[in-house]
Amino acid sequence: MPETLEDCGLDAASLPSVTRFLAELPAGLESYPDCAARHDVVMEAVAQLREQHPRGFSALADPFPPFHGWLADVPAVSLALAQRDLVFDTDEAWLDFVREAQARVNKKPMYRTVLKLLSPTLLLMSIGKRWATFRRGSTLQLQGLERGERIVATLELAYPAGLFPPLLIQAQRVRIEDVLRANGLKELDSEVIPVNASSTELRFAWKG
């Protein structure tokens, strides 16, 4: 199994986000094999890379199991970052893509029904089960809920050291924020608060 981009036949200079991510892991692409993501998590990145950069996609994907069911999280994160490096000019442009992709999900009939039935608080209280549906080896849990003129919800994302780089955590913030906005929240603020190499808080606040 490959550990580096060079082992995959890729030029690290063309994939700076992926290069930085892998350099901070204990065994490169082979790190944390027990952490996994469902194929759905990287489906958009896979489709875009396969179409626009087939060589880069094949080089990253070929050494690993077929793209159905579950995929080791380090290759999954690498594919998302490769999409950022090869398709988008800036982090902000990639995050806009993430936001638009989540908005499309929110408009699907099943999700629209859930968003109508559950309050923002109940959505966040159930986020741990939702996360476990799509990921193994990491957790996302509601840690605190403060009620006042503004409701402040604090989520904790816990993972092996370095598994989720800052840009991927920002993407999670964007996805959750878009879900909450689809639930009807308008005066919504969010922020990412790093705790340590294995934990990050995501904080969301809205008018009570």
Side-chain angles (χ1 to χ4, degrees):
M1 296 289 281
E3 288 190 14
T4 68
L5 293 178
E6 287 79 3
D7 292 339
C8 296
L10 291 171
D11 177 15
S14 66
L15 294 163
S17 301
V18 184
T19 301
R20 287 192 299 271
F21 167 58
L22 296 178
E24 295 180 2
L25 297 177
L29 280 164
E30 289 190 307
S31 302
Y32 308 132
D34 294 333
C35 296
R38 256 178 49 176
H39 173 241
D40 314 53
V41 171
V42 291
M43 189 165 54
E44 296 265 4
V46 165
Q48 199 169 48
L49 282 171
R50 183 181 277 144
E51 178 183 352
Q52 298 188 26
H53 292 275
R55 178 179 172 273
F57 168 76
S58 296
L60 278 172
D62 284 352
F64 300 98
F67 279 81
H68 59 77
W70 292 85
L71 171 70
D73 229 332
V74 169
V77 171
S78 297
L79 282 165
L81 292 174
Q83 180 197 30
R84 160 32 192 128
D85 286 339
L86 296 173
V87 179
F88 296 93
D89 292 331
T90 65
D91 290 350
E92 291 73 19
W94 182 72
L95 289 173
D96 285 342
F97 170 86
V98 170
R99 185 177 291 105
E100 291 164 4
Q102 184 62 52
R104 289 193 294 272
V105 171
N106 295 340
K107 292 176 182 177
K108 294 180 178 180
M110 180 180 71
Y111 290 95
R112 282 208 312 266
T113 300
V114 171
L115 291 171
K116 286 180 180 178
L117 291 174
L118 297 181
S119 69
T121 300
L122 288 175
L123 281 172
L124 293 176
M125 289 176 67
S126 64
I127 202 166
K129 291 182 179 179
R130 178 74 176 160
W131 181 267
T133 301
F134 290 95
R135 280 204 142 96
R136 298 171 181 165
S138 58
T139 60
L140 180 65
Q141 300 284 350
L142 178 64
Q143 290 296 104
L145 191 64
E146 302 173 20
R147 298 181 184 273
E149 289 188 6
R150 289 180 68 76
I151 298 174
V152 180
T154 301
L155 307 178
E156 182 190 30
L157 178 60
Y159 44 88
L163 177 61
F164 296 131
L167 185 59
L168 264 288
I169 296 174
Q170 287 290 350
Q172 296 301 334
R173 177 192 63 78
V174 164
R175 290 188 181 100
I176 296 168
E177 183 181 276
D178 199 79
V179 169
L180 293 173
R181 291 190 187 280
N183 189 246
L185 294 182
K186 299 188 183 302
E187 297 182 31
L188 175 65
D189 299 312
S190 64
E191 62 178 326
V192 169
I193 305 171
V195 177
N196 52 50
S198 298
S199 179
T200 299
E201 290 183 352
L202 290 81
R203 191 163 293 169
F204 301 87
W206 62 93
K207 188 175 180 180

